Amino acid sequence: MSRPSLLVELQRRNVHRAAMFYAAAAWLLVQVATQVFPFFGIPDETVRIVVIAVVIGFPFALLFSWFYEWTPQGIKLESEIDRSVSVTRQTGKTIDR
Protein backbone atom coordinates (compact mmCIF):
# COMPACT_ATOMS: atom_id res chain seq x y z
CA MET A 1 0.00 0.00 0.00
CA SER A 2 1.48 3.34 -1.00
CA ARG A 3 1.58 6.28 1.35
CA PRO A 4 -0.72 9.16 0.50
CA SER A 5 0.81 12.41 -0.59
CA LEU A 6 1.02 15.30 1.85
CA LEU A 7 -1.69 17.29 0.07
CA VAL A 8 -4.10 14.36 0.10
CA GLU A 9 -3.42 13.79 3.79
CA LEU A 10 -3.92 17.49 4.58
CA GLN A 11 -7.26 17.39 2.79
CA ARG A 12 -8.31 14.15 4.48
CA ARG A 13 -7.59 15.64 7.90
CA ASN A 14 -9.39 18.90 7.03
CA VAL A 15 -6.29 20.97 7.79
CA HIS A 16 -7.02 23.30 4.89
CA ARG A 17 -10.50 24.01 6.28
CA ALA A 18 -9.09 24.71 9.73
CA ALA A 19 -6.53 27.08 8.19
CA MET A 20 -9.23 28.98 6.31
CA PHE A 21 -11.44 29.16 9.41
CA TYR A 22 -8.53 30.38 11.55
CA ALA A 23 -7.53 32.99 8.97
CA ALA A 24 -11.10 34.33 8.77
CA ALA A 25 -11.53 34.41 12.55
CA ALA A 26 -8.11 36.02 13.01
CA TRP A 27 -8.88 38.67 10.41
CA LEU A 28 -12.17 39.45 12.15
CA LEU A 29 -10.47 39.66 15.55
CA VAL A 30 -7.78 42.02 14.24
CA GLN A 31 -10.40 44.19 12.52
CA VAL A 32 -12.48 44.44 15.69
CA ALA A 33 -9.39 45.23 17.77
CA THR A 34 -8.28 47.89 15.30
CA GLN A 35 -11.68 49.56 15.20
CA VAL A 36 -12.87 49.19 18.81
CA PHE A 37 -9.76 49.48 20.98
CA PRO A 38 -9.16 53.21 20.26
CA PHE A 39 -12.69 54.08 21.39
CA PHE A 40 -11.96 52.61 24.81
CA GLY A 41 -8.54 54.26 25.11
CA ILE A 42 -6.69 50.96 24.81
CA PRO A 43 -3.13 51.66 23.60
CA ASP A 44 -1.97 50.77 20.08
CA GLU A 45 0.54 48.34 21.55
CA THR A 46 -2.37 46.12 22.53
CA VAL A 47 -3.45 45.87 18.90
CA ARG A 48 0.11 44.86 18.02
CA ILE A 49 0.00 42.18 20.71
CA VAL A 50 -3.28 40.85 19.28
CA VAL A 51 -1.75 40.67 15.78
CA ILE A 52 1.39 38.93 17.09
CA ALA A 53 -0.71 36.45 19.10
CA VAL A 54 -2.79 35.65 16.00
CA VAL A 55 0.34 35.05 13.92
CA ILE A 56 1.96 32.89 16.61
CA GLY A 57 -1.26 30.92 17.12
CA PHE A 58 -1.61 29.94 13.45
CA PRO A 59 0.94 27.07 13.46
CA PHE A 60 -0.55 25.74 16.69
CA ALA A 61 -4.02 25.73 15.13
CA LEU A 62 -2.66 23.79 12.14
CA LEU A 63 -0.94 21.28 14.43
CA PHE A 64 -4.13 20.84 16.42
CA SER A 65 -6.10 20.20 13.22
CA TRP A 66 -3.44 17.69 12.09
CA PHE A 67 -3.51 15.62 15.29
CA TYR A 68 -7.23 15.90 16.09
CA GLU A 69 -10.31 15.44 13.96
CA TRP A 70 -13.92 16.47 14.41
CA THR A 71 -16.11 13.40 14.18
CA PRO A 72 -19.83 12.91 14.72
CA GLN A 73 -18.85 11.61 18.18
CA GLY A 74 -16.80 14.74 19.02
CA ILE A 75 -13.12 15.66 18.80
CA LYS A 76 -10.85 12.62 18.66
CA LEU A 77 -7.18 11.95 18.13
CA GLU A 78 -6.50 11.12 14.51
CA SER A 79 -4.84 7.87 15.57
CA GLU A 80 -8.11 6.73 17.21
CA ILE A 81 -10.10 6.99 13.98
CA ASP A 82 -10.61 3.94 11.79
CA ARG A 83 -9.20 4.88 8.37
CA SER A 84 -11.26 2.22 6.61
CA VAL A 85 -14.42 4.21 7.38
CA SER A 86 -13.85 7.70 6.06
CA VAL A 87 -15.85 10.48 7.69
CA THR A 88 -13.91 13.29 6.00
CA ARG A 89 -16.85 14.43 3.90
CA GLN A 90 -19.24 14.37 6.86
CA THR A 91 -16.83 16.19 9.19
CA GLY A 92 -16.01 18.67 6.45
CA LYS A 93 -19.68 19.59 6.19
CA THR A 94 -19.85 19.90 10.00
CA ILE A 95 -16.83 22.22 10.01
CA ASP A 96 -18.39 24.35 7.25
CA ARG A 97 -21.52 24.83 9.32
Side-chain angles (χ1 to χ4, degrees):
M1 182 165 106
S2 67
R3 293 178 49 140
S5 71
L6 178 62
L7 292 176
V8 171
E9 191 65 17
L10 288 172
Q11 188 173 18
R12 186 186 72 77
R13 295 181 184 211
N14 292 314
V15 174
H16 65 293
R17 291 177 193 251
M20 288 186 292
F21 176 77
Y22 186 90
W27 176 83
L28 181 63
L29 178 66
V30 169
Q31 292 300 313
V32 168
T34 304
Q35 298 298 318
V36 174
F37 284 10
F39 288 115
F40 292 106
I42 300 173
D44 290 338
E45 290 79 26
T46 309
V47 175
R48 288 187 195 109
I49 291 170
V50 168
V51 171
I52 290 169
V54 163
V55 170
I56 290 172
F58 185 70
F60 292 105
L62 292 182
L63 284 173
F64 183 81
S65 67
W66 177 265
F67 289 114
Y68 294 93
E69 186 169 338
W70 287 352
T71 66
Q73 295 80 27
I75 296 176
K76 291 187 173 184
L77 273 170
E78 197 279 328
S79 60
E80 296 174 350
I81 297 172
D82 184 15
R83 287 189 175 195
S84 64
V85 181
S86 177
V87 294
T88 301
R89 186 174 206 92
Q90 186 177 8
T91 57
K93 289 180 181 180
T94 303
I95 292 171
D96 287 344
R97 285 189 212 123

